[in-house]
Amino acid sequence: QLQLIESGGGLVQAGGSLRLSCVVSGRTFSSYPMGWFRQAPGKEREFVAAISRAGGISSYADSVKGRFTISRDNFKNTLYLQMNSLKPEDTALYYCARGRTTGWGPHSYEYDYWGQGTQVTVSS
């Protein structure tokens, strides 16, 4: 069973930074695009960022563009999300997800495996 394990969340003041990591089990990490999503209390899960298999192409939600950077290390089977200039509205449970080979974009149905999430809380 494929496992995705997120870490790096925590409590940070507005304007601060955090780096999330997602370690993926198995030997096929480099064969799939990957993404980050988040879900705030009382809200639907929303797309944050996605990255291609080799890491050369990435996309971002407008709300995080210019502040967040997605990256991956295919030798370490690890996905990252560097989050800078954090705002209280970034507070959410952050999930990493494996994209389907047929497509990867801002929709949850384009991803087939999900981690359990790591909590990010930004205080004002």
Side-chain angles (χ1 to χ4, degrees), residues 53-96:
R53 289 174 290 181
I57 302 171
S58 58
S59 64
Y60 297 90
D62 287 342
S63 59
V64 306
K65 203 171 291 184
R67 299 187 298 121
F68 291 10
T69 302
I70 188 172
S71 62
R72 65 190 297 164
D73 185 332
N74 286 344
F75 293 103
K76 296 183 178 179
N77 280 18
T78 303
L79 176 72
Y80 302 100
L81 185 68
Q82 178 66 44
M83 305 186 296
N84 298 329
S85 302
L86 282 161
K87 304 175 181 180
E89 51 263 44
D90 294 319
T91 295
L93 189 61
Y94 283 71
Y95 300 90
C96 67

Side-chain angles (χ1 to χ4, degrees), residues 8-14 18 20 41 83 86-94 118-124:
L11 174 64
V12 64
Q13 287 188 332
L18 283 174
L20 305 184
M83 305 186 296
L86 282 161
K87 304 175 181 180
E89 51 263 44
D90 294 319
T91 295
L93 189 61
Y94 283 71
T118 184
Q119 179 67 40
V120 172
T121 302
V122 184
S123 62
S124 57

Side-chain angles (χ1 to χ4, degrees), residues 15-51:
S17 298
L18 283 174
R19 188 196 197 198
L20 305 184
S21 299
C22 172
V23 178
V24 181
S25 64
R27 299 181 178 181
T28 60
F29 178 72
S30 62
S31 299
Y32 294 89
M34 297 291 297
W36 286 99
F37 286 74
R38 67 187 182 185
Q39 187 167 19
K43 295 187 177 181
E44 292 187 353
R45 185 161 52 187
E46 66 174 0
F47 171 76
V48 175
I51 191 167

